[in-house]
Amino acid sequence: MEHFRTIVDIPPSKTKMGYHNKTMLIGSCFTENIGGRLEHFKLPVDVNPFGVIYNPVSVGNSLRALMDEKRFEEEDLNFANQQWFSFYHHSRFSHSDLDECLIGMNDRMEKSSRFLREADFLFITFGTAWVYELIESGEVVSNCHKLPARDFNRYRLNVDEIVEMYKELILSLSLWNPKLKIVFTVSPIRHWKDGAHGNQLSKATLLLAVEQLVELFEQVCYFPSYEIVMDDLRDYRFFSEDMLHISPVAIDYIWKRFEEVYLSNETRKLMPNIEKVIRASCHRPFNTKSDAHQKFLQNQILKVCEMMKNYPFLDLSEEKNNFEKNLLD
């Protein structure tokens, strides 16, 4: 036998990403895995400006808020469990102080709204078709913030609901930022509380909706992260201990497929050099005052300065500062 796996065929993207492109990623925690890699290599990205979001309605509401340059006020917040919070946001934005909570949300909103208007790529990752609707207001929430289940009505979206919402949203985004390319993904992370069958129905709903949107819009495409895990890797050794989330090895493999499809050759050639600088910056010697380490720091500073001169779009200031703070006067 020549093959022991079913490798998912992914044609290279006609439009490539690089250090001259801005990319926003929004959606489920899988978004943060890929977005975190792009951040690590210093590409200009904005990852989950509202925190982790799982369902299509909440992702769509978040994107509309960014286009509307929404500013959160006290009446937009709620208070429970000694924290102020917003149903738009993940709990990472919650705070015990009202003013601090609003400042954190609005500072990020302003920055991310401006970023999205200038972005070249928008990656949207759907995690589940199930939504939680706050009974009091009829609003679909992004996060339940540990409120009682009796406060919510839980139901599964259907394909037509998702498609109709995103047809309008994509048209609005295209008018707001005409150069924006949109890439949908479906998270391979399973939502097991729905049961095996319920999870499959949810993922199938998302996949069917995305397929229609790809067919409708030229600027929309799909990256098969779900299929890579389910059909290519297809083994529990690629899952973490809970058997639901994917392992670091699986994330590494998906990242490799991602960079093959979307990153420019120039970007991919530069990334190993950036990785070397980052690793050197994290190095912790036994004796920071030794002659050998001081020479190492000087060489690294020269290397960073040379890289930033040759590639003005690179921001290695954090690494440069890490080297400089350990230099002896």
Side-chain angles (χ1 to χ4, degrees):
M1 294 179 63
E2 293 184 6
H3 300 291
F4 293 89
R5 293 166 43 214
T6 51
I7 298 174
V8 177
D9 181 43
I10 314 173
S13 172
K14 294 178 182 178
T15 309
K16 297 290 188 177
M17 292 168 50
Y19 287 94
H20 300 292
N21 305 113
K22 290 187 174 183
T23 301
M24 177 173 283
L25 301 96
I26 189 167
S28 81
C29 50
F30 180 77
T31 290
E32 306 217 330
N33 292 328
I34 295 299
R37 296 296 177 96
L38 293 168
E39 283 183 318
H40 176 78
F41 287 109
K42 308 296 183 179
L43 279 91
V45 296
D46 189 335
V47 182
N48 272 341
F50 295 83
V52 178
I53 304 174
Y54 298 97
N55 73 79
V57 173
S58 294
V59 171
N61 289 342
S62 299
L63 290 169
R64 288 207 172 276
L66 290 172
M67 284 191 286
D68 293 340
E69 300 180 25
K70 178 177 173 61
R71 185 163 185 84
F72 287 90
E73 306 290 347
E74 181 176 349
E75 55 265 29
D76 296 310
L77 303 186
N78 298 270
F79 188 78
N81 302 315
Q82 306 301 311
Q83 295 277 305
W84 290 96
F85 67 90
S86 153
F87 283 118
Y88 271 88
H89 292 80
H90 187 269
S91 57
R92 73 174 65 160
F93 284 90
S94 302
H95 203 285
S96 58
D97 182 85
L98 171 64
D99 291 334
E100 289 297 321
C101 185
L102 287 171
I103 288 170
M105 291 175 180
N106 287 323
D107 283 354
R108 185 62 185 272
M109 277 291 299
E110 183 179 349
K111 172 188 169 187
S112 295
S113 178
R114 184 168 59 250
F115 189 99
L116 180 59
R117 184 181 281 279
E118 299 170 353
D120 300 282
F121 290 90
L122 170 63
F123 284 81
I124 299 174
T125 301
F126 292 153
T128 179
W130 288 92
V131 299
Y132 285 84
E133 180 185 71
L134 188 64
I135 293 173
E136 183 180 356
S137 65
E139 170 191 10
V140 171
V141 302
S142 300
N143 192 296
C144 294
H145 294 279
K146 298 183 179 180
L147 296 184
R150 64 176 179 272
D151 292 348
F152 300 94
N153 175 35
R154 184 172 179 268
Y155 62 92
R156 193 178 69 235
L157 300 168
N158 62 49
V159 174
D160 289 341
E161 288 174 308
I162 299 171
V163 171
E164 287 306 309
M165 178 182 185
Y166 275 81
K167 278 166 62 177
E168 184 179 344
L169 179 62
I170 292 168
L171 287 172
S172 297
L173 281 166
S174 298
L175 291 172
W176 195 65
N177 179 354
K179 68 177 180 177
L180 190 67
K181 304 292 183 185
I182 300 172
V183 182
F184 283 99
T185 68
V186 172
S187 172
I189 297 169
R190 291 176 290 172
H191 290 251
W192 204 243
K193 64 177 143 184
D194 304 322
H197 186 58
N199 175 71
Q200 291 291 69
L201 291 174
S202 171
K203 299 295 187 183
T205 299
L206 300 174
L207 290 166
L208 287 168
V210 169
E211 179 68 13
Q212 288 193 36
L213 294 170
V214 171
E215 291 175 354
L216 285 169
F217 295 97
E218 185 179 352
Q219 73 272 36
V220 174
C221 61
Y222 174 67
F223 178 73
S225 54
Y226 180 81
E227 291 81 356
I228 290 172
V229 173
M230 297 302 162
D231 293 307
D232 186 345
L233 301 181
R234 197 169 40 171
D235 192 306
Y236 273 113
R237 66 194 163 119
F238 296 112
F239 285 79
S240 59
E241 291 181 357
D242 65 4
M243 299 300 164
L244 302 176
H245 291 77
I246 56 177
S247 70
V249 174
I251 294 170
D252 286 343
Y253 181 69
I254 295 169
W255 165 253
K256 179 182 176 183
R257 300 302 309 274
F258 178 92
E259 66 169 296
E260 288 172 353
V261 173
Y262 288 107
L263 298 187
S264 68
N265 289 334
E266 179 189 13
T267 299
R268 296 178 69 192
K269 288 177 182 176
L270 185 56
M271 283 162 50
N273 294 327
I274 295 172
E275 179 68 20
K276 289 178 183 178
V277 171
I278 293 170
R279 287 182 181 274
S281 173
C282 295
H283 175 63
R284 296 293 176 263
F286 290 112
N287 183 2
T288 59
K289 297 180 181 180
S290 69
D291 291 342
H293 185 63
Q294 290 297 307
K295 185 175 182 180
F296 166 81
L297 294 174
Q298 292 170 355
N299 288 337
Q300 290 301 319
I301 291 168
L302 289 173
K303 185 181 294 185
V304 168
C305 290
E306 184 70 15
M307 285 183 68
M308 292 176 71
K309 178 182 177 182
N310 292 335
Y311 306 101
F313 48 81
L314 269 185
D315 182 6
L316 296 172
S317 55
E318 180 181 349
E319 287 70 26
K320 184 170 180 283
N321 290 337
N322 285 341
F323 294 131
E324 289 177 338
K325 69 183 181 183
N326 288 314
L327 272 179
L328 297 178
D329 295 332

